[in-house]
Amino acid sequence: MKAALLSEYHRPLELIDRPVPEPRRPDEVRVKVEGAGVCATDLHTIDGEMEPAGVTLPLVPGHENAGRVDAVGDLVSTVSVGDPVLIYPPFSCGLCVACRRGTDMHCERHQFTGLTVDGGFAEYVVVAERSLVKLPPDVDPVDVAPHADAGITAYHAVKKVAHLALPGTTAAVIGVGGVGHVALQLVRELGSSATIAVDPNAKHRSLAQELGADTVLGSEGAADAVREATDGRGADLVLDFVGSDQTHADGMAMLARSGTYSMIGFGGMFTMPSAAMVGTEQSAVANLVGSWSDLWELMQLHARGNLVLKTETHPLEAINEVLDRLREGDITGRAVLLPQG
Ligand SMILES: [Zn+2]
Ligand SMILES: [Zn+2]
C-alpha cells in the first residue's frame, strides 16, 4: 500500500510502498482510509515537538481519519466489513479509571493513531474496535474526516464552557482555522453567547463572516477592539485556538471579570500575575482532544446538518505541498488527503 512516512524530523514525508497491515489482536479492525485530515499537530510532529506525547520515528502521521471497515478480528462485534467509520484517535483501553470515567484521552495505556502508532496518511490503518464511531447514514467519510480531531477538539472545548455561554455574554474565538471554524459554530449550537472571531488572515476572517460570527476582527489591537465591542467589559469566554505567547497575552487582555480563558492551541508560554486573576476571579482552562462520546455527539450534530466543515481535498501524493501551505496559513478550513484516490 501507499504510505507517507516521516523518518527524520524537519524533512518532507517520503512516499513509500509497504505491506497492508494486518490486525494483530482479535479486537482490532483494519480501515481503508478514504479521507485523512492534515492538522497543525502534524507540523509539530515534523518539527520534533511531539516526543513528550510519545512520538518515535519512523512514523506514518495522520490522525484525522475516516473510511470503511476492511477487515475485522474475531472478537469484533459492533462493525462489519464495509461500514463507514470515523476513527477516534486516542487508544482507550476501557479498563482504567480514566476510561471508565469517560475521559478516554487520559487512558493509562494511552496511544494515539498517527502520533504513537502509524496513522492514516496511508491506504490502510489498523485500530482498536473501541476507536471507531460508526457514521450515520448518508454521511460520507471524506466529508467528516477532520472531525476526528479538529471537530472533537472544538466540541470538547466548547462543551466544557457551554454552561457559561449564557444569553447576554460574549465569546471570543481566537484563530479561525481548522479547529476554530468548527468551534465558532459550536458556540452557537451549544450556547447563546454573541461571538467575536479574531484572526490575522483575511480569508479566515471571511470564513468567520460566512459562518455567522457577530463581530470579526484582525489580530492587531484585538484586545482593545473586543473591549470596544463589549462596552468595555471584555469577552466572558475566550477560546484560544492558536496558543502563542501573543495570543495568550491578548486572550487574557480581552477577558471580562470572572471570565474564562480556554486554551486549545499550544506552544507558547502562559504567564499571568496571580493578583490579576484573583482580583478579577478569572479562570484559565486547557483542553486535550476529547472523549469518544464527544465525537459521537458531534457526529449526531453533523448528521442533522447543523455544521459546516470547510474542506479541500488532495491526493496523498500532495502531502508535502499541503503541509507547506498549512505552515504558510494558506489553508482555509481543513485539507483532507485521499489515500485511495
Ligand atoms: Zn489534529
Ligand atoms: Zn484506559
Side-chain angles (χ1 to χ4, degrees), residues 93-104 130:
C93 73
L95 300 171
C96 72
V97 174
C99 281
R100 289 176 195 266
R101 283 188 175 139
T103 53
D104 320 65
R130 272 181 68 85

Side-chain angles (χ1 to χ4, degrees), residues 257-309:
R257 292 184 72 85
S258 78
T260 298
Y261 172 67
S262 178
M263 287 171 261
I264 303 96
F266 61 94
M269 189 62 80
F270 178 75
T271 45
M272 273 303 291
S274 51
M277 290 190 74
V278 170
T280 52
E281 221 175 33
Q282 291 171 330
S283 308
V285 296
N287 301 277
L288 178 68
V289 204
S291 66
W292 182 93
S293 54
D294 286 335
L295 188 55
W296 183 87
E297 288 168 15
L298 178 66
M299 271 309 97
Q300 311 315 306
L301 207 51
H302 186 99
R304 246 166 45 190
N306 295 22
L307 296 176
V308 176
L309 184 57

Side-chain angles (χ1 to χ4, degrees), residues 49-313:
E49 293 163 10
M50 297 305 288
E51 284 193 348
V55 168
T56 55
L57 301 188
L59 172 75
V60 176
H63 55 268
E64 303 192 345
N65 308 311
R68 274 169 217 281
V69 173
D70 185 66
V72 295
D74 289 345
L75 290 181
V76 170
S77 60
T78 59
V79 291
S80 317
V81 171
D83 283 349
V85 290
L86 188 59
I87 299 175
Y88 173 66
F91 168 80
S92 91
C93 73
L95 300 171
C96 72
V97 174
C99 281
R100 289 176 195 266
R101 283 188 175 139
T103 53
D104 320 65
M105 60 286 191
H106 301 302
C107 175
E108 286 172 14
R109 294 168 188 85
H110 179 81
Q111 297 288 341
F112 201 97
T113 300
L115 283 183
T116 68
V117 293
D118 285 337
F121 293 170
E123 285 176 86
Y124 297 90
V125 67
V126 169
V127 297
E129 177 183 17
R130 272 181 68 85
S131 301
L132 300 179
V133 174
K134 242 202 261 193
L135 294 179
D138 305 324
V139 174
D140 184 332
V142 174
D143 293 340
V144 294
H147 275 324
D149 182 53
I152 189 181
T153 301
Y155 186 85
H156 179 67
V158 174
K159 182 179 164 184
K160 188 183 283 182
V161 295
H163 64 292
L164 302 171
L166 299 169
T169 63
T170 301
V173 171
I174 301 179
V176 189
V179 187
H181 89 285
V182 180
L184 193 56
Q185 301 170 67
L186 289 169
V187 171
R188 174 197 68 210
E189 292 298 317
L190 305 182
S192 306
S193 298
T195 52
I196 300 181
V198 181
D199 200 295
N201 182 312
K203 282 191 214 160
H204 296 188
R205 287 200 298 272
S206 40
L207 177 60
Q209 206 94 55
E210 274 170 47
L211 296 174
D214 296 301
T215 307
V216 180
L217 301 171
S219 299
E220 201 70 39
D224 289 341
V226 167
R227 296 236 169 244
E228 213 166 293
T230 53
D231 292 329
R233 267 171 33 80
D236 304 279
L237 291 170
V238 175
L239 295 145
D240 183 353
F241 293 91
V242 180
S244 64
D245 291 355
Q246 183 69 49
T247 60
H248 288 321
D250 287 350
M252 290 306 293
M254 67 177 67
L255 192 63
R257 292 184 72 85
S258 78
T260 298
Y261 172 67
S262 178
M263 287 171 261
I264 303 96
F266 61 94
M269 189 62 80
F270 178 75
T271 45
M272 273 303 291
S274 51
M277 290 190 74
V278 170
T280 52
E281 221 175 33
Q282 291 171 330
S283 308
V285 296
N287 301 277
L288 178 68
V289 204
S291 66
W292 182 93
S293 54
D294 286 335
L295 188 55
W296 183 87
E297 288 168 15
L298 178 66
M299 271 309 97
Q300 311 315 306
L301 207 51
H302 186 99
R304 246 166 45 190
N306 295 22
L307 296 176
V308 176
L309 184 57
K310 173 108 173 151
T311 58
E312 53 177 66
T313 55

